[in-house]
Amino acid sequence: MSMYQDEFRRSIDHPEAFWAEQARRIPWFTPPTTILEYDAAGHARWFVDGELNICHAALDHHVEQGRGDQPAIFWDSPVTDSKRTLTFAELRDQVARFAGALKALGVEKGDRVVIYMPMVPEALVAMYACARLGAVHSVVFGGFAPHELAVRIEDAEPKVVVAASCGVEVDRVLPYKPIIDAAIEQSRYKPEACVVFQRDQHRVELGAIDHDWATLVEKAEPADCVPVKGSDPLYVLYTSGTTGKPKGVVRDTGGYAVALSYSMDTIYDVAPGDVFFSASDVGWVVGHSYIVYAPLLRGCTTVVYEGKPVKTPDAGAFWRLISEYRVKSFFTAPTAFRAMKKEDPDARLMAQYDLSCLKALFLAGERLDPPTFHWLDDLMDVPVIDHWWQTETGWPIAANLQGLEPMPTKAGSATVPVPGFNVQVLDREGEPVGAMEQGSVVIKQPMPPGCLSGIWGDPKRFHSAYMAAFPGYYLTGDGGYFDEDGYLFIMGRTDDVINIAGHRLSTGEMEEVVGAHPAVAECAVIGIHDALKGQLPVGLVIPKDGFDGDEVALEEELIALVREKIGPVACFKQVLVVDRLPKTRSGKILRKLLRNIADGKEFGVPSTIDDPASLQDVHEAMKDRSVGTAHEARPI
Ligand code: COA
Ligand code: AMP
């Protein structure tokens, strides 16, 4: 049996023994004696009676072990022309002081804190400070509009909001304060305080509930780490579901710490002292897991990059960073490489840098499309690894395990299930399908440590969204298949979640915004193929009877509305006014048919945003698929 097979089998056949062994990686205050138990609803809970603090495990512990002078963060911000290095000791001290500041504002164990910050070290300081106090952070991505922030504030009910005065997008300064003020105004729940980190690019006037970060920290006493239980929540991270309301994915502390530590060894093959660079954002799960927590837990240095893969200043930005900081393991989304390839197809900029430090390149956030895989594979001397995961799992479900047993890569495949994840492919009846047959990709319970422990404030939704479709299995929402060699191919979502430039968004949420316009009778939003961003949303809209306004003006209004309500990150820039939408006899929109048209399963070629003719196909197809046609009976 190969090393992988042996480890995988042990993790599935004897999960308690396997994860008890892995738990030794963590400096617990009180090691767990109960490794796995199930709650009343049958969901796995890991390490419930262990006591730890993840801030202690990631910072204080390393300082105590003699890593105090090692860089913890390399911050690199070409957009502000700044760089900064923070050692483990410096970061621990800053975190302890800021935790003291939050404590002085009344933040205690279990309280929520919403964080709305760009890629600055202070974002990590704020997250670790919450963890230090046992408070639950909820970081919101800067590209979301006030309404989205308000929805999250209302759901999480934070005692305090922590924000920066601005973000910087390439060469544009984006003031954050008006977004926060508008969000708090819109939210029925009102936080008690807002801490503002003033950036030199844009300093703001403070209002009645606002506190200046620097002043608070100056007055603060450093706070100690508060012990929490293994199953206590570390954070709530909102992600798009199929309805308008985002899901607050709850992450526990102990299982997460153990899973991340295991992944750094087994998947990413990094050791203490190595440099890890994940080019994502703290607002996404990749940022939480592989910018903030995992590298520092493992005693690595993390690169915090405020910039884009291109234009800051050019498509060589990532190569420069890898070379300058001697990065061993690099992780980003395929869309970032597509953007680089567009600007620098022969990767001439890459040749300017010494990349001998790099041992592997990891991609996730969306499917690594074969053309991008081949471009990179031809270019790089190191393995190019697609690995598959989601906000809910918090760490990779399938990967090519560089620290355990590297395997040959295959274009389009995330290789094999990671130990702990019993991945199965089921048909509609819940029966396993054979090799090469597509179906719903599910994970047999128990899910390994690190995966979501619930939906914030909504246990019913946890069950209905993930556990109800196939009892005993977690529904990933992705479709795919295993090939004859046991390699897993993830082919895309089977629901109304779409992936735009590696960002997960809900078409349902966009439909709610579009459908609320007074001139719109009905609408559907679908994701269609885009060569750069993977997918882009297109709104199909039927105006109300009697609408005699200007269609172009309506389209523009709807585009502006989605930008205002959801934010620029939705990239909602195409609306098509149509006569009808394909429906069942009972009047439900045939969403799967629309998805199939967009994916090319109906016409053989995917629709693309750059090709108006293909959008016309969508339009024409809808005319053909009118209410009650034979198509409704067809399995689609
Ligand atoms: N704050 C405010 N606005 C933001 C933002 C942020 N953090 N991130 C993006 N936006 C804005 C952009 O400025 C843009 O606005 P515009 O419509 O006014 O131009 C809009 O949201 C769309 O952004 P995006 O889709 O990211 O397009 P882009 O052209 O700025 O960048 C890529 C394209 C591919 C370079 C970029 O999306 C990327 O690097 N993606 C990788 C994603 C990733 O890391 N995902 C995590 C999983 S690994
Ligand atoms: P997020 O929760 O934002 O990480 O998005 C998760 C979704 O992105 C998954 O359900 C997949 O649809 C998609 N995804 C992420 N990584 C991959 C991958 N390596 N291959 C295919 N799809 C991926």
Side-chain angles (χ1 to χ4, degrees), residues 114 138-141 144 147-158 238-240 246 509:
V114 161
S138 187
V139 183
V140 181
F141 178 63
F144 282 121
H147 169 74
E148 289 293 315
L149 183 55
V151 167
R152 287 154 174 79
I153 290 175
E154 209 164 278
D155 196 66
E157 302 189 329
Y238 288 86
T239 190
S240 300
E509 202 167 357

Side-chain angles (χ1 to χ4, degrees), residues 365-367 386-391 478 490 493 499 504:
E366 56 173 330
R367 180 164 184 255
D386 181 12
H387 60 329
W388 167 60
W389 50 303
Q390 24 182 240
T391 305
D478 281 306
I490 297 297
R493 299 287 304 192
N499 204 308
R504 174 166 159 181

